[in-house]
């Protein structure tokens, strides 16, 4: 492997050579998201399953894991990756990155290669979908146990009511027996749904709130298919631990923070196929071997199974329904920005699809679902949505080989556009626009039966049906050569072609556009810049650098005994999403210096930390109770000994321009002047 590896060259391995790439990023988290996006594009293009160079694939993966380690440990120089791309950094790279060699070589020796499908599914996650950690408070409850407990209580209550109705005196006697001599009711059984302190729990991301919830006991958690697909050899614990650690900040978060015993407990749970969602057991072995076995199975079933379209019923007879001669898996699924596909992860935003038939050229799946899951992942990676039933929001019926005829009839009745994979591929490759798609001839169910089916290819195909496109007007029939030539060129989608977002929940918080200038109320320009929260890189925008106790003048324990409540967003810190944007890191910062963070304002609260667009309720309560309102820069000054807690408590409150609209828009985002 390459010697004298540097962080600068690691960024270069992900096609990041210029510091200006990070200009639109407000914090390290935004920069890492950009790094992750570049990594996804490269591994999908370089994956050995798609004919890529294994050496390049390993180099790309190893460089990403080095950069990820730096991010997880909070050791990014000056709080920005752009610091490794300045001319001076490049000149000093050999000296400053001298310890990177060993780390890079360790990752580059990893021969575990999850399937291409795993990376395609992982590309859909901007933020890790799952979090594993040990419970801190003992107040959270397991979603599964809570549900089962509720059912048991209902059953027990019904039985109790029946018993009371039949034998009233016995029921009253039993009721009295449940009371102690003091008259207090004795608890009959422990609440098994509570996740005890230091017990492993696993949760999933709430995309609206931006935080993790729906916690499960580890033994109650069903391992999602996306994580199953990333296991290269489930029979080997050590190999599986490497696989799961490689999912950190991609599909999973928190595993690297667990101690060794808890890590291995998590690994043993994940590799046990009895715990897999769908309970589909998989033989131990490489993902590529599994993929080949599935391909053979698909080919066998494709040759032996055929369907008739009348009445939507299956049939194993009839020459007209013979499956087309298609090579399974011959179609390479487009990925945003890769291989000529449009570089827009929201290209299909607002578009809803229903699928019918099988897609042998795509591969994956069994029986009636061949290729369906892979196509669903593809559509979702471009921002689209796939459902199983028609609704008023359905835009397209995507038909494959041997579809159900009734679907065509229902689609026409609801004015839903029928497309095949050829046309969808044309849209994703920029060869076809939504406007032009509407002018193409409607597809008939007969065109999808047996050998009449036109499989999609990566080279592209003609978009028309079996007949010439019917012209509606004389002008359309006499289209000019210039118009035809323009139609063949890749066309950027006009915003008017895509319906507006359906709800406010689809809109990402405006916090991503905020810069550190929002927190300036306590900044003192006359003070030294040493130890300040904002680090100004030459020619770059300000970035926040997370202070660490005992390092660079940060005083340990300065918040001991203090209780804080957080409100608003903290884009300077980054991390999380939705209404939780930056809050987890703010909480960690306060706890690292001895403080405690609670969820609501009370008489015990010492400070309310105000971020961007805070909640009016918390601000109002704090003001009524004379609790000081402070911001990030004020706390940072205390951390670095530039002010005391008493001093910042008497300073003017941070200026608030807007209040939050709250979870799901259940509040009013209004100007602070109206408050």
């Amino acid at each position: 492997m390459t010697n004298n590896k540097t962080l600068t060259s690691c960024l270069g391995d992900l096609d990041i050579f210029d510091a200006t790439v990070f200009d639109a990023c407000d914090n390290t988290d935004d920069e890492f998201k950009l790094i992750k996006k570049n990594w996804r594009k490269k591994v999908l293009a370089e994956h050995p399953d798609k004919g890529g160079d294994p050496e390049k694939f390993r180099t790309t993966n190893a460089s990403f894991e080095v950069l990820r380690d730096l991010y997880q440990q909070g050791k990014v120089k000056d709080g920005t990756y752009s610091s490794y791309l300045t001319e001076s950094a490049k000149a000093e790279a050999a000296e400053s990155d001298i310890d990177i060699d060993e780390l890079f070589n360790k990752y580059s020796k990893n021969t575990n290669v999850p399937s291409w499908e795993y990376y395609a599914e992982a590309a859909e996650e901007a933020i890790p979908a799952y979090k594993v950690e040990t419970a801190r408070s003992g107040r959270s409850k397991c979603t599964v146990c809570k549900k089962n407990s509720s059912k048991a209580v209902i059953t027990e209550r019904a039985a109790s009511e029946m018993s009371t109705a039949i034998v009233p005196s016995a029921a009253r006697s039993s009721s009295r027996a449940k009371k102690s001599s003091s008259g207090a009711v004795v608890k009959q059984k422990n609440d098994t749904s509570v996740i005890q302190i230091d017990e492993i729990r696993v949760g999933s991301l709430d995309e609206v709130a931006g935080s993790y919830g729906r916690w499960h006991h580890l033994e109650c958690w069903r391992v999602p298919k996306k994580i199953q697909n990333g296991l290269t050899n489930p029979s080997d614990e050590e190999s599986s631990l490497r696989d799961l650690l490689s999912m950190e900040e991609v599909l999973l978060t928190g595993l690297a923070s667990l101690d060794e015993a808890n890590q291995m407990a998590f690994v043993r749970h994940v590799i046990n196929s009895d715990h897999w969602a769908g309970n589909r057991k998989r033989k131990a072995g490489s993902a590529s071997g599994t993929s080949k076995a599935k391909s053979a199975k698909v080919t066998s079933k494709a040759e032996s199974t055929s369907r008739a379209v009348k009445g939507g019923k299956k049939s194993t007879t009839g020459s007209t329904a013979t499956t087309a001669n298609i090579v399974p898996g011959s179609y390479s699924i487009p990925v945003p920005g890769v291989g000529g596909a449009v570089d827009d992860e929201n290209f299909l935003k607002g578009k809803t699809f229903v699928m019918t038939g099988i897609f042998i050229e795509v591969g994956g799946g069994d029986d009636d679902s061949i290729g369906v899951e892979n196509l669903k992942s593809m559509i979702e990676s471009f921002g689209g949505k796939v459902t199983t039933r028609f609704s008023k929001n359905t835009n397209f019926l995507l038909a494959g080989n041997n579809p159900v005829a009734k679907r065509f009839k229902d689609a026409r009745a609801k004015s839903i556009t029928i497309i095949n994979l050829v046309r969808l591929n044309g849209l994703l490759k920029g060869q076809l626009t939504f406007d032009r798609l509407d002018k193409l001839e409607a597809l008939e169910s007969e065109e999808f039966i047996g050998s009449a089916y036109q499989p999609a290819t990566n080279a592209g195909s003609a978009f028309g049906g079996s007949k010439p496109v019917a012209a509606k007007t004389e002008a359309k029939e006499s289209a000019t050569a210039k118009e035809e030539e323009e139609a063949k060129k890749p066309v950027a989608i006009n915003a008017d072609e895509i319906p507006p977002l359906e709800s406010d929940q689809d809109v990402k918080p405006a916090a991503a556009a905020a810069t550190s200038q929002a927190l300036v109320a306590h900044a003192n320009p006359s003070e030294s810049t040493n130890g300040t929260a904002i680090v100004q890189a030459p020619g770059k925008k300000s970035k926040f650098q997370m202070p660490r106790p005992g390092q660079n003048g940060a005083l340990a324990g300065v918040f001991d005994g203090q209780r804080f409540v957080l409100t608003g967003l903290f884009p300077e810190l980054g991390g999380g999403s939705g209404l939780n944007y930056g809050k987890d890191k703010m909480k960690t910062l306060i706890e690292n210096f001895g403080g405690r963070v609670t969820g609501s304002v009370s008489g015990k609260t010492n400070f309310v930390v105000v971020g961007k667009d805070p909640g009016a309720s918390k601000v109002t309560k704090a003001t009524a109770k004379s609790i000081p309102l402070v911001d990030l820069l004020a706390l940072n000054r205390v951390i670095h000994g530039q002010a005391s807690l008493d001093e910042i408590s008497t300073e003017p409150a941070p200026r608030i321009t807007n209040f939050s609209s709250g979870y799901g828009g259940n509040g009013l985002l209004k100007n602070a002047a109206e408050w």
Side-chain angles (χ1 to χ4, degrees):
M1 276 294 164
T2 308
N3 293 322
N4 298 323
K5 196 69 179 177
T6 67
L7 291 171
T8 303
S9 62
C10 284
L11 288 167
D13 289 336
L14 301 182
D15 293 339
I16 300 175
F17 304 101
D18 192 338
T20 58
V21 170
F22 297 116
D23 278 356
C25 301
D26 292 314
N27 48 58
T28 312
D29 289 270
D30 288 347
E31 293 182 348
F32 184 70
K33 286 177 185 177
L34 191 150
I35 289 171
K36 189 158 60 173
K37 182 178 179 180
N38 278 36
W39 164 74
R40 286 167 175 159
K41 289 182 180 180
K42 290 210 69 179
V43 293
L44 287 170
E46 297 171 352
H47 198 286
D49 285 359
K50 299 299 178 181
D53 184 342
E55 185 76 10
K56 287 184 178 179
F57 179 79
R58 283 198 297 272
T59 297
T60 299
N61 260 336
S63 292
F64 171 74
E65 298 206 43
V66 169
L67 295 168
R68 184 188 61 198
D69 275 13
L70 206 68
Y71 167 76
Q72 288 181 319
Q73 297 170 26
K75 293 183 179 180
V76 179
K77 184 180 178 182
D78 295 337
T80 172
Y81 283 99
S82 61
S83 62
Y84 302 107
L85 296 172
T86 61
E87 291 305 318
S88 59
K90 292 175 182 178
E92 300 169 1
E95 181 179 351
S96 61
D97 296 339
I98 195 169
D99 296 329
I100 299 302
D101 259 346
E102 183 179 351
L103 191 59
F104 178 83
N105 286 332
K106 181 186 81 169
Y107 286 130
S108 62
K109 289 176 182 176
N110 183 9
T111 56
N112 292 1
V113 181
S115 66
W116 184 91
E117 285 75 18
Y118 159 73
Y119 288 101
E121 290 181 332
E124 301 170 21
E125 309 292 345
I127 298 173
Y130 309 100
K131 183 174 186 177
V132 56
E133 64 180 17
T134 52
R136 297 182 182 181
S137 66
R139 294 195 300 269
S140 61
K141 292 191 175 185
C142 173
T143 301
V144 174
C145 292
K146 190 175 178 181
K147 185 183 297 183
N148 293 340
S149 176
S150 297
K151 291 180 180 178
V153 168
I154 292 172
T155 304
E156 186 178 338
R157 185 180 299 152
S160 176
E161 289 174 353
M162 182 177 293
S163 174
T164 302
I166 297 173
V167 192
S169 60
R172 284 194 294 272
S173 174
S174 175
S175 177
R176 284 195 296 272
K178 292 180 183 178
K179 295 185 179 181
S180 67
S181 57
S182 63
V185 177
V186 178
K187 197 171 185 178
Q188 295 298 301
K189 50 176 108 172
N190 293 327
D191 187 352
T192 57
S193 66
V194 174
I195 303 175
Q196 302 298 330
I197 296 176
D198 293 331
E199 191 175 357
I200 300 176
R201 66 178 189 174
V202 186
S204 55
L205 179 68
D206 182 329
E207 295 183 359
V208 178
S211 57
Y212 291 91
R214 292 182 55 79
W215 296 104
H216 294 69
H217 288 114
L218 177 60
E219 61 268 23
C220 296
W221 184 58
R222 308 291 290 175
V223 183
K225 190 71 176 293
K226 290 181 179 181
I227 289 180
Q228 297 172 31
N229 288 342
L231 301 174
T232 55
N233 186 3
S235 65
D236 187 324
E237 290 184 2
E238 189 174 331
S239 173
S240 296
L241 176 60
R242 287 198 299 269
D243 290 336
L244 291 168
L245 286 173
S246 71
M247 298 181 197
E248 277 280 303
E249 304 304 331
V250 179
L251 287 177
L252 189 66
T253 185
L255 179 61
S257 302
L258 298 180
D259 59 33
E260 185 177 350
N262 283 330
Q263 282 186 349
M264 293 313 299
F266 182 76
V267 169
R268 293 185 186 106
H269 177 85
V270 169
I271 64 178
N272 186 340
S273 59
D274 289 339
H275 301 149
W276 291 359
N279 200 29
R280 294 179 180 176
K281 295 187 178 182
R282 179 171 70 172
K283 293 182 179 180
S286 68
S288 59
T290 304
S291 179
K292 289 177 182 177
K294 284 188 176 182
S295 294
K297 189 175 182 182
V298 167
T299 305
S300 174
K301 293 197 176 185
E303 291 172 350
S304 61
T305 304
S306 61
R307 298 202 234 175
V309 296
K310 293 183 179 180
K313 296 180 180 179
K314 299 177 189 177
S315 172
T316 55
T317 62
S319 59
T320 59
T322 303
T323 304
N325 185 21
I326 306 169
V327 179
S330 58
Y331 175 72
S332 182
I333 297 176
V335 176
V338 177
V342 293
D343 191 8
D344 183 359
E345 295 178 355
N346 292 314
F347 180 75
L348 296 177
K349 189 75 174 180
K351 305 292 188 185
T352 301
F353 295 75
V354 169
M355 289 189 277
T356 180
I358 57 176
F359 302 86
I360 301 172
E361 67 267 47
V362 176
D366 301 314
D367 298 327
D368 298 337
S369 62
I370 297 175
V372 171
E373 283 301 316
N374 284 339
L375 276 185
K376 180 181 177 183
S377 296
M378 178 190 80
I379 291 170
E380 290 174 346
S381 72
F382 284 91
K385 181 179 179 181
V386 177
T387 61
T388 56
R389 297 182 179 180
F390 291 126
S391 71
K392 62 181 181 180
N393 296 320
T394 305
N395 304 101
F396 299 103
L397 172 64
L398 177 58
N401 192 209
N402 296 330
V404 176
K406 189 176 184 300
R407 290 284 194 176
F408 281 73
K409 182 179 179 181
D410 293 344
R412 290 196 182 90
K414 296 176 182 293
S415 299
I416 293 170
T417 303
I418 300 170
I419 62 172
N420 54 13
L421 186 52
V422 172
R423 294 185 180 183
L424 179 56
N425 183 70
L427 286 170
L428 300 182
K429 294 294 183 67
Q431 301 161 350
L432 191 61
T433 66
F434 288 104
D435 276 346
R436 189 177 169 212
L437 176 65
D438 289 338
K439 298 172 184 176
L440 294 177
E441 178 192 14
L443 297 169
E444 301 295 336
S445 59
E446 290 78 10
E447 298 176 53
F448 296 85
I449 305 305
S451 58
Y453 177 70
Q454 180 188 9
T457 65
N458 295 102
S461 306
F463 301 125
S466 58
K467 301 176 183 178
V469 177
K472 295 183 179 180
T473 66
E474 190 71 25
K476 288 182 180 178
E477 288 179 353
S478 56
T480 63
K482 182 178 179 181
E483 288 172 334
E484 292 177 352
E485 188 65 28
E486 287 296 320
K488 294 178 182 178
K489 296 180 181 178
V491 180
I493 296 303
N494 189 302
D496 294 335
E497 295 175 350
I498 303 178
L501 300 179
E502 295 179 3
S503 69
D504 292 339
Q505 293 182 5
D506 292 325
V507 184
K508 293 183 179 179
T515 64
S516 57
Q517 63 185 9
L519 296 178
V520 295
H522 296 283
N524 188 341
S526 63
E527 292 179 348
S528 168
T529 56
N530 293 333
T532 57
I534 305 301
V535 175
Q536 184 72 36
K540 299 293 169 192
K541 63 167 67 179
S542 299
K543 304 280 175 93
F544 183 86
Q545 187 171 7
M546 188 76 104
R548 295 178 179 277
Q551 297 181 19
N552 300 321
L555 307 175
V558 291
F559 297 149
D560 284 349
Q562 303 296 307
R563 292 195 181 202
F564 298 81
V565 170
L566 311 181
T567 181
L569 310 175
F570 300 92
E572 292 81 2
L573 298 178
S577 64
L579 299 179
N580 201 55
Y581 192 53
K583 280 184 178 175
D584 285 342
K585 289 202 171 184
M586 175 59 85
K587 181 181 178 183
T588 300
L589 184 151
I590 291 172
E591 291 175 343
N592 284 347
F593 287 89
R596 179 181 174 185
V597 177
T598 60
S600 57
V601 178
S602 71
K604 296 182 180 180
T605 304
N606 300 105
F607 295 92
V608 172
V609 185
V610 178
K612 184 181 186 298
D613 296 338
S617 175
K618 288 181 179 177
V619 171
T620 301
K621 289 179 181 178
T623 303
K625 295 177 181 291
S626 299
I627 297 172
L629 302 175
V630 297
D631 59 19
L632 175 58
L633 290 183
L635 295 183
N636 194 69
R637 287 166 55 220
V638 174
I639 289 172
H640 290 91
Q642 299 168 353
S644 67
L645 288 172
D646 287 340
E647 288 173 343
I648 66 170
S649 67
T650 59
E651 292 177 347
R655 185 170 64 90
I656 300 173
T657 57
N658 289 291
F659 287 111
S660 169
S661 60
Y663 183 91
N666 59 4
L668 295 176
L669 180 63
K670 61 181 182 179
N671 190 288
E674 302 171 7
W675 170 63

